[in-house]
Amino acid sequence: MKLSTLLRHLREGFKNIIRNGWMSFASISSIFFSLFLLGVFVLLALNIDSMASNIESQVQIRVYLQTDIDQQKANQIENQIRKLSDVSKVEFVSKEEGLELLRKNLGKDGDALLDGYDKDSNPLPDSFTVEVFDPQNIGVTANQITALNNADETKPITSVKYGQGTVEKMFKITNAIRNIGLIVVIGLGVTAMFLISTTIKMTILARRREIGIMKLVGATNSFIRWPFFVEGALIGIVASGITTVVVLMAYSELVRLNEVELGLLMIKLIPVADLGWKIAALLIGLGTLIGVWGSTISVRKYLKV
């Protein structure tokens, strides 16, 4: 395509948007509201997934050792645990550290409840805190550690705990939330595509006479189609650009309120810097694609005269 022809199509695309102001406004509004709703739910789904992942990452395995175990044996067990495929981190917790941690977790009642317990009278055993790469497989890793203990005649490990039962229920809930969020986002995406394309089709329908006249005077299909192609792309870019700015500004304010004023320590929203470009790419890319697709598909029907 010659540069002069391309520039002509671009000019015509701009003129068509201005010439058909109300229909262009209707198309832009349709794209804006559809993508705004989609963007809100995508942000919600991403934050829910992040919160679920954060909760899952806090799941740990506690491996309690015999109270009279020597350091050499403890080191041997640690090395065996580290070699397990899904283990990401193993941290030794001495019984003294365990007592201080328990005292801290009990809060203001810790000193009163643990009064009288010192280094010599500490009833807690040494232990390991084990973290895994995939929290969903924590039960498998716990069973592997138990198997290591069963294979050792001295049985150096007294118990392996990770919240069995509760953890599995939590994973079911987080997975269900993720799946529901994904289904809602996909459903909204499909609905937005059909709603936007229908609006654009109505815009083209109102100009079918114009297309017919151009065909009758000898214009080729590509000559007719390109201005509509450009028009659809411009409408999609403008509408999705406005949507992106509004969505990210509103989300940025929500993040600020959450951190500064609301103080919801249990709810930590993903910073705008970490997902802003993803939302922008999704909304602008989808808006432009739908604008072009809707215009191209709609005008094709009226190219046969």
Side-chain angles (χ1 to χ4, degrees):
M1 182 185 296
K2 294 181 180 180
L3 179 60
S4 59
T5 304
L6 177 61
L7 292 176
R8 182 265 172 194
H9 292 327
L10 289 174
R11 285 196 304 271
E12 287 300 314
F14 276 107
K15 288 180 181 178
N16 287 342
I17 293 176
I18 297 173
R19 187 183 303 124
N20 302 279
W22 282 110
M23 295 303 295
S24 298
F25 176 76
S27 297
I28 291 174
S29 300
S30 173
I31 296 175
F32 171 80
F33 287 113
S34 299
L35 292 185
F36 179 82
L37 188 59
L38 178 62
V40 169
F41 273 91
V42 169
L43 285 171
L44 179 62
L46 288 174
N47 277 280
I48 288 175
D49 181 70
S50 175
M51 292 174 193
S53 298
N54 184 54
I55 293 173
E56 291 175 355
S57 66
Q58 297 178 25
V59 177
Q60 299 174 330
I61 301 173
R62 295 301 298 269
V63 180
Y64 295 95
L65 307 176
Q66 296 284 0
T67 54
D68 58 350
I69 192 172
D70 58 66
Q71 190 61 46
Q72 182 178 359
K73 188 64 176 179
N75 292 338
Q76 179 184 346
I77 297 170
E78 181 178 355
N79 291 331
Q80 290 176 329
I81 295 175
R82 287 184 183 278
K83 291 179 181 178
L84 297 177
S85 59
D86 204 39
V87 171
S88 62
K89 181 180 179 181
V90 180
E91 182 178 355
F92 177 75
V93 181
S94 67
K95 58 183 181 180
E96 291 80 17
E97 292 173 332
L99 183 63
E100 288 302 314
L101 182 61
L102 179 60
R103 195 187 305 273
K104 180 179 179 181
N105 290 338
L106 291 174
K108 61 182 181 180
D109 298 325
D111 292 333
L113 293 173
L114 300 177
D115 184 35
Y117 290 104
D118 54 23
K119 181 177 180 180
D120 296 327
S121 60
N122 185 355
L124 298 178
D126 294 332
S127 64
F128 291 111
T129 299
V130 181
E131 297 179 7
V132 295
F133 290 109
D134 185 359
Q136 301 277 349
N137 294 331
I138 195 167
V140 175
T141 303
N143 291 335
Q144 291 174 339
I145 296 173
T146 301
L148 290 175
N149 184 56
N150 294 336
D152 193 322
E153 294 181 356
T154 62
K155 299 294 185 295
I157 299 174
T158 58
S159 63
V160 178
K161 298 182 179 180
Y162 66 95
Q164 186 176 9
T166 302
V167 168
E168 283 80 4
K169 291 179 181 179
M170 182 189 72
F171 287 155
K172 287 182 179 179
I173 293 173
T174 55
N175 288 335
I177 292 174
R178 287 192 178 104
N179 293 333
I180 292 172
L182 179 61
I183 292 172
V184 170
V185 168
I186 292 175
L188 284 173
V190 173
T191 302
M193 289 184 65
F194 279 103
L195 177 60
I196 294 168
S197 63
T198 299
T199 304
I200 293 176
K201 286 179 182 178
M202 292 175 62
T203 303
I204 304 299
L205 178 64
R207 295 159 62 186
R208 63 188 183 278
R209 182 179 178 84
E210 173 187 343
I211 297 172
I213 293 174
M214 293 176 68
K215 281 289 292 181
L216 290 174
V217 298
T220 62
N221 288 346
S222 61
F223 187 86
I224 298 172
R225 183 184 292 116
W226 267 98
F228 288 98
F229 179 89
V230 172
E231 182 181 351
L234 291 174
I235 288 175
I237 292 172
V238 171
S240 57
I242 295 173
T243 307
T244 300
V245 172
V246 172
V247 168
L248 291 182
M249 286 182 63
Y251 180 73
S252 178
E253 181 65 14
L254 180 62
V255 172
R256 187 190 69 81
L257 288 173
N258 181 65
E259 293 179 348
V260 178
E261 297 183 16
L262 299 181
L264 300 178
L265 300 179
M266 296 300 293
I267 301 178
K268 184 173 178 61
L269 299 177
I270 303 174
V272 178
D274 292 344
L275 51 67
W277 67 272
K278 297 178 183 178
I279 297 298
L282 172 66
L283 296 182
I284 294 177
L286 186 60
T288 304
L289 176 64
I290 294 175
V292 171
W293 173 68
S295 295
T296 303
I297 296 299
S298 301
V299 77
R300 181 184 302 172
K301 178 179 178 181
Y302 303 104
L303 290 179
K304 300 176 181 180
V305 178

